[in-house]
Amino acid sequence: MIKSKYIVIAAVMSTAILVDACSKSFLERSPQGALTGSDVQSKDGIQALLVGVYAALDGQSSGTTALNGSNPWEATPTNWIYGSVAAGDAHKGSDAVDQPPVSQIASGVFDPSNGFFNTKWQVLYEGIARANTLLSLLPDATGMTDADKVGVKAQTLFLRGHYYFELKKMYDKVPWVDETNMDDYKQPNNVDIWPKIEADFQYAYDNLPETQTSVGRANKWAAACYLAKTYVYQAKWSDAKALFDIITVKGQTTNGLPYGLVDRFEDNFDPANKNNKESVFAIQMTANDGTLSIANANQGEMLNFPYNSPFGCCGFYQPTQDLVNSYRTDATGLPYLDDANDHAVKNDMKILSTEPFTPDAGNLDPRLDWTVGRRGIPYLDWGNHPGRSWVRDQDYAGPYAPKKNVYWQYNQDKYKDANSWAPGSALNVVLIRYADVLLQAAEAEAQLGNYTAAETYVNQVRTRAGKPATAVYKYTNDAAPMGGFSTTPAANYVISTYTPGTFAAGGKDFSLKAIYFERKLELAMEGQRYFDLVRWGIAATEMTRFFAYESKITTDITGGKFVSGRNEHYPIPQRQIDLSVKGGTKTLEQNQGY
């Protein structure tokens, strides 16, 4: 059963500290050559099991696939498909015949047979199964003090909480399997599991230390941030506020840095500056680790580099015009909250790279040019983005390129991994960063009528965005981009904070609108927006608006739609429903509308 088969994995980890994928999923494997619990119930064995629970975070095997043997991008924890492409942050990219399951998700016409949903489900339950195996063996482990066991349990429950949080926000109706019922995984999905997720994070918050010797391990404050986010998703605003009040004063990273916003926005997306004070919890990535694969080098993002460029592959994940327009600012430096698309940013659609093009001269938020690669603007130190020649099919997916996932040229020897047909990188996958925490705190305050506090949090984020360090600057010499940058901004960056009292004057509706828009700007292309739109209850409105606007620009989302009462959650994978038969009855119920 499940216990014995995951002990097999533990044996592999204890020798190589690597976790490989089996050919079948969490629900489909049969045990082979199972070890007894005593083989791994030593202190070292328990630590190897814990490494395995952490290793499932990125959803990748040690080869070139996800943990269940599928394509690595189907399982990536960045959620670039499920949280950003599905929400209008980005087009799928590439061309019309490449990765059609992503096209279905992008246009809202997905169904339970889409294999990507099954991959994501399987990989998250893989992490849960590893956690449950460890928890079942931990009480009888030898060579460990009670304090040792509490520390391991707290980390394990934190990780299990993360896996279940991901499942809950994607699928809603999720079966709960823990260490007490792991021999019967065919559990029903008709009970709300939020209380159980809360309990896992609460135990972690109560029992984890403030710092860890390994930067990739979870600490007390990461657990606090996850617990607060769990409250936010349930609209438990008073509980969330109480915890945010503590986090924003006492919170610190695992490596002992008090939480704060780094001065330079881009440092959050530069592998040379990872594990900074804004990194609440991150999956640690490394390049060229000796495995001759990119499994530990952000493999889930391997498609997301400009096409026909120095990166080699593959032209996916192209930001939308709707997203780009959102960075337009008015004469005072504030965003157009209601009609950004009426102030569209100039693009180079249908203009050859050999033809002249002058970038938009209007007011812009500088975060645009750290988020989106657009023609005529420095693309890190790779040169000015050339436009059409770096895009696989402009008519299909627009003129832009992703940027937050891209490494720099000058130190690519350290942070690029070329051990596959598409690039990997050492850029961490940051699951929660402090700007996200501040904007959640702002949301809680606004929901409770504390508009001044909400405004203060939002202005912290906007203040950082307006610092000179966050601007993108022109090259000293366009022909030698690695020669450095001038002091001339690459665009007309104009951004300001909200004047004190603006939120109070506007009330709850205005305050929330401003907060929601700030999350769109700050967290763009970070896999969050779809889940935000759903929990805010505005997904149908926003996605209908998006499809109507963006489908006039590109051909990829023609016919796109958001069906209220259906698309708020992804379907339970049909494969999992078929596997859930117990006593002749399927224990899993499908979500509404499928």
Side-chain angles (χ1 to χ4, degrees):
M1 299 301 289
I2 295 176
K3 179 183 289 189
S4 60
K5 72 188 176 191
Y6 280 92
I7 293 174
V8 175
I9 293 177
V12 175
M13 290 188 301
S14 63
T15 57
I17 313 300
L18 293 171
V19 183
D20 203 354
C22 296
S23 61
K24 294 187 178 181
S25 78
F26 161 62
L27 294 181
E28 297 176 88
R29 272 179 232 153
S30 298
Q32 297 179 358
L35 302 175
T36 64
S38 61
D39 290 320
V40 291
Q41 282 180 293
S42 66
K43 185 174 183 178
D44 288 345
I46 290 296
Q47 286 299 321
L49 282 172
L50 182 57
V51 169
V53 186
Y54 275 101
L57 281 170
D58 68 353
Q60 309 299 306
S61 78
S62 59
T64 57
T65 65
L67 282 173
N68 73 334
S70 299
N71 294 319
W73 48 88
E74 299 178 31
T76 176
T78 66
N79 286 326
W80 68 267
I81 297 169
Y82 311 108
S84 284
V85 169
D89 270 2
H91 295 279
K92 182 206 75 178
S94 184
D95 59 30
V97 299
D98 208 346
Q99 296 299 308
V102 186
S103 298
Q104 296 172 11
I105 296 170
S107 57
V109 296
F110 43 77
D111 62 41
S113 67
N114 189 311
F116 279 49
F117 299 135
N118 193 47
T119 294
K120 189 69 170 177
W121 179 284
Q122 289 174 344
V123 166
L124 290 170
Y125 270 108
E126 175 84 16
I128 290 165
R130 295 180 184 189
N132 288 340
T133 295
L134 191 161
L135 292 168
S136 71
L137 297 171
L138 184 61
D140 296 324
T142 59
M144 299 180 70
T145 65
D146 289 343
D148 290 338
K149 292 181 180 180
V150 168
V152 169
K153 181 178 179 179
Q155 290 183 72
T156 307
L157 290 179
F158 171 89
L159 293 167
R160 188 174 72 180
H162 161 78
Y163 295 127
Y164 271 121
F165 185 95
E166 289 292 293
L167 283 161
K168 178 66 175 174
K169 75 181 186 184
M170 281 196 63
Y171 304 102
D172 188 35
K173 295 171 67 173
V174 176
W176 181 266
V177 183
D178 61 24
E179 71 276 20
T180 69
N181 63 358
M182 56 187 282
D183 289 330
D184 183 11
Y185 51 83
K186 295 180 180 181
Q187 299 296 317
N189 62 338
N190 57 1
V191 177
D192 183 14
I193 68 168
W194 278 128
K196 294 181 181 294
I197 297 173
E198 280 186 26
D200 278 2
F201 287 137
Q202 185 68 58
Y203 186 94
Y205 174 47
D206 291 340
N207 291 282
L208 283 172
E210 292 198 304
T211 60
Q212 296 274 19
T213 55
S214 176
V215 71
R217 297 289 179 102
N219 72 341
K220 176 184 184 70
W221 298 109
C225 291
Y226 263 100
L227 180 57
K229 193 165 188 174
T230 301
Y231 292 146
V232 166
Y233 267 70
Q234 297 174 86
K236 291 185 173 181
W237 303 116
S238 294
D239 291 336
K241 171 187 163 46
L243 198 46
F244 285 130
D245 285 347
I246 300 171
I247 293 168
T248 54
V249 173
K250 296 183 178 180
Q252 60 179 296
T253 65
T254 296
N255 50 339
L257 303 174
Y259 284 155
L261 300 177
V262 294
D263 287 341
R264 191 168 180 252
F265 178 69
E266 197 277 333
D267 282 350
N268 289 297
F269 319 107
D270 183 348
N273 295 296
K274 58 188 180 182
N275 298 315
N276 57 49
K277 63 182 178 179
E278 199 166 336
S279 180
V280 173
F281 185 65
I283 305 172
Q284 302 297 304
M285 295 293 164
T286 184
N288 308 306
D289 61 358
T291 63
L292 300 181
S293 80
I294 63 168
N296 298 316
N298 226 326
Q299 184 169 249
E301 295 271 341
M302 66 193 300
L303 303 180
N304 301 340
F305 295 84
Y307 181 73
N308 196 32
S309 67
F311 310 99
C313 195
C314 289
F316 281 75
Y317 205 29
Q318 294 178 237
T320 63
Q321 186 67 42
D322 178 88
L323 176 65
V324 170
N325 293 346
S326 299
Y327 290 95
R328 174 74 79 201
T329 58
D330 64 18
T332 69
L334 292 174
Y336 289 94
L337 300 180
D338 297 308
D339 60 350
N341 286 335
D342 292 339
H343 307 273
V345 175
K346 181 181 176 183
N347 64 47
D348 66 319
M349 284 285 282
K350 303 184 185 302
I351 299 175
L352 297 177
S353 294
T354 54
E355 297 174 339
F357 173 78
T358 302
D360 191 286
N363 295 354
L364 294 169
D365 182 325
R367 287 174 291 186
L368 166 63
D369 290 326
W370 291 119
T371 303
V372 177
R374 60 192 183 102
R375 181 165 176 187
I377 303 298
Y379 196 76
L380 305 183
D381 60 350
W382 294 96
N384 289 323
H385 192 287
R388 193 179 182 91
S389 65
W390 272 17
V391 177
R392 195 161 192 167
D393 187 341
Q394 268 197 351
D395 291 339
Y396 177 70
Y400 302 114
K403 203 169 185 180
K404 285 183 174 179
N405 62 294
V406 177
Y407 47 83
W408 290 70
Q409 182 176 189
Y410 80 94
N411 58 8
Q412 62 177 313
D413 59 321
K414 295 180 181 178
Y415 302 120
K416 171 190 174 181
D417 196 319
N419 283 293
S420 186
W421 49 267
S425 82
L427 178 63
N428 284 352
V429 175
V430 181
L431 297 173
I432 299 183
R433 62 183 176 92
Y434 191 55
D436 181 8
V437 174
L438 290 176
L439 293 174
Q440 290 177 63
E443 192 176 341
E445 296 288 4
Q447 289 285 358
L448 295 169
N450 304 323
Y451 304 123
T452 299
E455 184 179 85
T456 298
Y457 283 131
V458 171
N459 278 344
Q460 284 186 52
V461 176
R462 293 188 65 79
T463 295
R464 188 268 297 279
K467 288 184 175 182
T470 287
V472 175
Y473 293 91
K474 293 182 178 181
Y475 299 118
T476 303
N477 179 356
D478 285 349
M482 291 181 66
F485 296 88
S486 70
T487 58
T488 304
N492 186 31
Y493 300 126
V494 180
I495 183 172
S496 66
T497 58
Y498 288 94
T499 301
T502 301
F503 279 29
K508 179 179 284 190
D509 288 347
F510 175 84
S511 298
L512 289 175
K513 183 190 299 184
I515 293 165
Y516 295 171
F517 206 86
E518 200 64 32
R519 285 186 68 83
K520 181 179 185 180
L521 300 173
E522 177 72 18
L523 303 173
M525 307 288 286
E526 295 183 41
Q528 301 227 34
R529 185 157 174 79
Y530 192 83
F531 308 110
D532 280 344
L533 292 176
V534 168
R535 68 183 181 82
W536 293 331
I538 62 173
T541 300
E542 283 296 298
M543 293 309 298
T544 299
R545 178 198 59 75
F546 166 76
F547 287 131
Y549 176 79
E550 197 78 15
S551 62
K552 295 176 182 177
I553 301 170
T554 62
T555 62
D556 61 330
I557 53 172
T558 301
K561 60 183 178 180
F562 187 99
V563 180
S564 295
R566 176 188 186 272
N567 286 36
E568 285 82 2
H569 293 98
Y570 293 120
I572 309 301
Q574 188 60 48
R575 175 60 176 161
Q576 300 306 317
I577 293 176
D578 294 342
L579 285 169
S580 73
V581 175
K582 182 179 179 181
T585 302
K586 294 177 180 178
T587 58
L588 293 182
E589 299 175 357
Q590 186 54 270
N591 282 327
Q592 179 181 344
Y594 297 102

